[in-house]
Structure formats: C-alpha cells, structure tokens
Amino acid sequence: MTTDEPTTIDETPTTVTSAPTTPVEPPAARGASRNRWIAAIAVSAVVIAAAIGATLLLTGEAPDADVLAWTPAESVMYAEARLDLPGDQRQQLGTFLSAFPGFDDQAILDQKLAEVMDRVVRGATEGAWDYQNDIDPWFDGQVSVSVGPLPTDPDDARTGRLLVLVGVDDAAAARAWVDEVLASEGAPRSTTTHGSVEVTVIETGSERAPDAAYATFGPVLALGDLASVTASIDTGGNGGLASADTFTAASRSLPGDRLAYYWMDLAAVTSWSTAMQGQLGPDVPAPMPPLPAFFDDMTPAWVAGALRAEGDALVFEARSPHVAAIAGDPANRASTLAALVPANTLLLAASHDVSGNVDRLLTLLRSDPNIASSVTEVENALGILGGVDGLAGWIGDLGIVVVPEGSGVAGGVVIDPTDRAAAERLLTTLRSFVTLAGGSAGISIRDETHGSAAITILTIEDASQLLELARAMGSTDVPSAATPPITVELAWSVTDDVVVLGSSPSFVRTVLDVPGAESLAENDRFEALVGRAGREHSGLFWVDVAAARGLAEGILPAEDRADYDREIRPYVEALDAALGTHVMGSDVDASSIYVTVSE
C-alpha cells in the first residue's frame, strides 16, 4: 500500500467513531529494513508497559472507559491491568506501599511515583520520551492484552492474533504519540478505513508475521495485528468477550476491585493443541507436546486470577471449575501438619489426602489405552514394596518442611500417617535393601532413641562414591572430576502421630520435639494469615520471608554487605511472610496467596 489514498477493507457501517489525525510521514530514507516496525512497536509496548508501574496511585477514580468492552469475543486469553485503582484499591495499595522507603508520606505519593515513572520512561527510550509530558496526558490507566482466536494453520504464523488495548482520555493525542514513535523509527505505514475508523497499517513484508495496525476509537487505542484491530472495532464496545458465558462466570468468581486480572479458556487451548498435533507431520515440532487422552478429564474448562491490595498484603486469587476426577469431592479441613512442625518453620508446603490423590491419578492413567500397559508395568515393579498401596496408601497429609539449623537450614518430609504399621513395613523393607547392598558402597545404618521414639540414621561415608556408581551404570551426565569425600546422614522416624524423613538426624529430632514445644499452628503470624486465606483447605504453603532473609544476610560475603545494605535491604526488609491455600468447592475451586509486609 501507499499513503496516497486510503484503502477500504470493510464498508460495513458502524457506529464506532474515532478521532483521526493526519499520519506523520516517515523519514524519506527508505533503505532501512521493512521489519524496523517491529522495533518501533516494541518501543511503544515497552513505554506503555512501563507506564503500568508508575501510574499506580496517580488517580483514585475509576474511568468511564472499559477496555474489556472492546475485546473480541473469540479471544481465548485475556489479561488486564486496572491502574485506575477501582473501588478501595488506591487506599489499600497505599497502605501496603507505606512499608517501603519513600512511600510513608501519602501526601507526596503521587509526586514520587511520577518522578519514578519519568526515570523509567527516559531510561527505556534513551531520553526520547517523558512520561508526564508525553504519555500521562492521554493515558487513562487501563491496559489489556488478549490473544485469539488461535491459528488454524500450523504452517502459517500470520494467522496468529494479538491485541493490546490502552484506555485513553485523549484519542487524538494518543494516536499522535504512536505516529511520532513509529515515524522516529522509520516504520513504513499506510492508512485505511474500517467502517468509519481510520486504521494505520504497518506492512511487515514477512511470511512469518501478520501486518500490524493501530487505531483509536471509542475510549481506546488498539495495537496489534490488523485482523485483531478490526475485530475490536467491530465489537462496537458491546457484545465482545465480556458477554461470553465462560468469561462472565470466571470474572464473577473474583473480587471486582482489583489491580490486575487474567483469564484463559483452557478447553479451547487444549482442543487447539490436539488439533495442531494432528495436522503436523512426524518431523515437525508441535506448538505444545501431545496431551494424553485422560488430560481432558483433569483439565478445568477455564482458569482466572486477580491481584489486589488488602492493607498490609498483596493478594493473588485464582479460580477454576472443580474437577472431581482428579481432586475428588470437596473435603476442606484445617491442616494437621502445622501442629507437627516447629513454630520457626521457614517453609511448609502441604497437601491433604495424598493417598486419595494417588488413587484418582492412577484411575485416570489406567483409562488411557496408550499408556495403560506402562502403568501396569510400573505397578508390578512396585510390588516388592507392597505395590502403590504399600508405597502411598498410608499417607494422609504430606508436607515439605524447611527449618533453621545452626547458620543454615535442614529439611525433609513430614507425614500425618493413616496407618503406622503400613509406614513401618515400607521403611523396614527399604532398610533391608540398603543393608544388603550398602556395605560395599560405604553405607551404614544405625538406630538411636529419642524420648519414646526410635530414629533410624543412614550414613553415607563418601557420597562421591555414588557418582562413581552412577558412572559405572552408564550415566553420561555425571561429572568425572574427582570430588572430595562427603559424608551424608539421612534419618527417619515413625510414631503414631508423625512420620518424618529428614536431611539430618537433628531435623528429625526437632520435629519429634514439637509436641512439647511451640508449633507452627501456634505462630501468631501463621495463624493470622491462614485465617485470611482459608483455614479449611485442601493444601497450603507458608514462607517466613523475614526469617529467610535474616539467614541469607548471615552468610552474605563481607565484601558485598555494603552494597546490599544500601541497594537491596531497604526494599526487602519490609517483606514479612507469604501464605497460600487451595480451597475446593462443589463448582469452583479457589486459591489465595497473601504476601505481607511488617507493620
């Protein structure tokens, strides 16, 4: 195309209006590659993305514009940043940020953020653009990215669809700015119309990329491939993705006042992946690995998530339809493991009903004729350990645990057993194997008593010998360089209340001592967070961020301490803890993650 006359793509009337501006002619020099527009679009995207960070808190009023209203209905992925901070999000986010340097005085908060944003934009554009003068006057605080429909031809990347919508207060100024950015990069452009909207097209001249386009209409600036921009125009700001049943169900399952939101049509993505796999030849890599037949039975139809501020915490919440085939019937309850690990636990990642989860997964695996025979072979091989039931049938709640130990950490697995005798049988069998084969490898086993419990300690006198054994068995990934002798001690213990397998005997002793000491369940910070995230759940994780930071600082090299104290510590020492839970529902499952700051 040329810029002499607009070319009409679609003469269908539309009620959408735009505020067209005269395109800025690109520089006369045309010798540059036609693909320079990619760099130009990238500059625009970087600057707009950078605006996300610094526009936060600059306004507390939700704008009338809604980028979602202009998102095409056929989109399968959608992400949105609500930088206009709807509802109570300005106040809540301000409270959270007040824990960090420079944000304690709310009276000058806007000024500080604007100054930071100016530095970000100038740095990203090598001084060519300024946020307050070039972007802020027309940007209203909403940004969205959508993808779809997905390509139908695996050999034609030009059918890919991507759309960025930026909310604008001044459409003419927004378009003029993009015109100027592209002109400065020498991007070849032409104009066309779609209905009554002027669209600027950047022809890539590439067989691997679609033509790009941008336009302003209604309250948005649209950037993306030409097909996506025209599809956005066709919505007329009504009847797009926002009216789709699955999107509506997902959106309503999450709080309305939020900083960001995402949604994915997993059913559509899964079906697309399967279809693409069928169209590709045996020597052509698939866009995604082929999925087993049972995958459809364990994949929710959609997934959605939102980020919001809640006083002293940033909260991420995710929702997805409940899939009974893999998760079973909802059976949320308080974790038993918090009462079995010490109060100073650095990390706990726990899951309920592990044996039930294993049974459901095996049922799905056996249902796939392509892998059923392999599953049977694995189950038969496990017969020496009592089969799958002997290996996992006695496991109730299971957690990965890390605790402080001296100047470092120790960790292991802590289990709430449903059958102590079954646990003892498994560990006794494993002990027998080690005893028979371990002597020649420098492995020994001994027992010790700790209170009323017995602890088994496995000692590997020189762990480097295990590398030699691996090399002898044909492993090519094991380094052949000589390694110094390393002594490793592993330990385990079984009681009526707990099964613990640890990286050291001291870790096992620490867990066994919990009934007579304070547990994590009695840690006020843990209890407060689990109460907010969901006291009754199917799984949780906990990270004591403040304590972990203290340990890391203790081993920091002296020569790095000054830089750390000046550049990093002021911004991380405010972080206190993180906790997340997964709560199953009869229709929708909910996950919540809280990241808190110290008061």
Side-chain angles (χ1 to χ4, degrees), residues 15-67:
T15 59
V16 179
T17 60
S18 68
T21 61
T22 303
V24 178
E25 289 297 329
R30 294 285 184 169
S33 169
R34 293 173 64 85
N35 287 332
R36 287 192 64 192
W37 70 270
I38 298 177
I41 287 292
V43 170
S44 302
V46 166
V47 173
I48 291 172
I52 293 176
T55 317
L56 291 173
L57 303 178
L58 293 181
T59 175
E61 298 180 1
D64 294 333
D66 186 358
V67 291

Side-chain angles (χ1 to χ4, degrees), residues 477-508:
D477 296 328
V478 178
S480 59
T483 57
I486 302 173
T487 299
V488 174
E489 283 194 329
L490 306 177
W492 63 82
S493 182
V494 179
T495 72
D496 289 338
D497 299 319
V498 66
V499 173
V500 53
L501 303 94
S503 62
S504 68
S506 60
F507 172 80
V508 175

Side-chain angles (χ1 to χ4, degrees), residues 323-418:
V323 181
I326 189 65
D329 295 330
N332 303 303
R333 55 179 172 77
S335 174
T336 60
L337 294 181
L340 298 176
V341 299
N344 65 345
T345 293
L346 297 173
L347 167 70
L348 169 63
S351 178
H352 297 176
D353 189 26
V354 171
S355 61
N357 291 334
V358 170
D359 286 343
R360 285 185 288 273
L361 178 59
L362 283 174
T363 298
L364 287 173
L365 294 173
R366 295 185 191 112
S367 69
D368 188 337
N370 294 320
I371 60 175
S373 60
S374 298
V375 174
T376 300
E377 291 178 5
V378 171
E379 291 184 275
N380 291 338
L382 291 175
I384 194 171
L385 298 176
V388 174
D389 191 58
L391 188 64
W394 52 272
I395 301 176
D397 293 4
L398 179 148
I400 306 298
V401 181
V402 177
V403 300
E405 185 173 278
S407 59
V409 298
V413 176
V414 177
I415 299 169
D416 179 8
T418 59

Side-chain angles (χ1 to χ4, degrees), residues 250-251 253-254 261-264 302-306 316-320:
S251 184
S253 70
L254 288 156
Y261 173 80
Y262 80 90
W263 167 85
M264 180 184 296
W302 52 263
V303 62
F316 174 75
E317 297 189 271
R319 302 288 187 271
S320 61

Side-chain angles (χ1 to χ4, degrees), residues 384-516:
I384 194 171
L385 298 176
V388 174
D389 191 58
L391 188 64
W394 52 272
I395 301 176
D397 293 4
L398 179 148
I400 306 298
V401 181
V402 177
V403 300
E405 185 173 278
S407 59
V409 298
V413 176
V414 177
I415 299 169
D416 179 8
T418 59
D419 187 338
R420 173 179 177 171
E424 289 179 327
R425 282 194 299 270
L426 173 64
L427 292 173
T428 298
T429 300
L430 292 174
R431 175 179 180 145
S432 300
F433 292 154
V434 173
T435 301
L436 289 173
S440 59
I443 301 176
S444 61
I445 291 181
R446 72 182 191 274
D447 295 310
E448 71 172 40
T449 301
H450 186 74
S452 60
I455 300 177
T456 300
I457 302 171
L458 183 152
T459 302
I460 305 173
E461 296 295 342
D462 184 2
S464 63
Q465 292 186 9
L466 299 180
L467 300 180
E468 296 294 338
L469 178 62
R471 280 192 292 270
M473 295 176 65
S475 175
T476 59
D477 296 328
V478 178
S480 59
T483 57
I486 302 173
T487 299
V488 174
E489 283 194 329
L490 306 177
W492 63 82
S493 182
V494 179
T495 72
D496 289 338
D497 299 319
V498 66
V499 173
V500 53
L501 303 94
S503 62
S504 68
S506 60
F507 172 80
V508 175
R509 297 185 199 108
T510 297
V511 174
L512 293 176
D513 287 342
V514 169

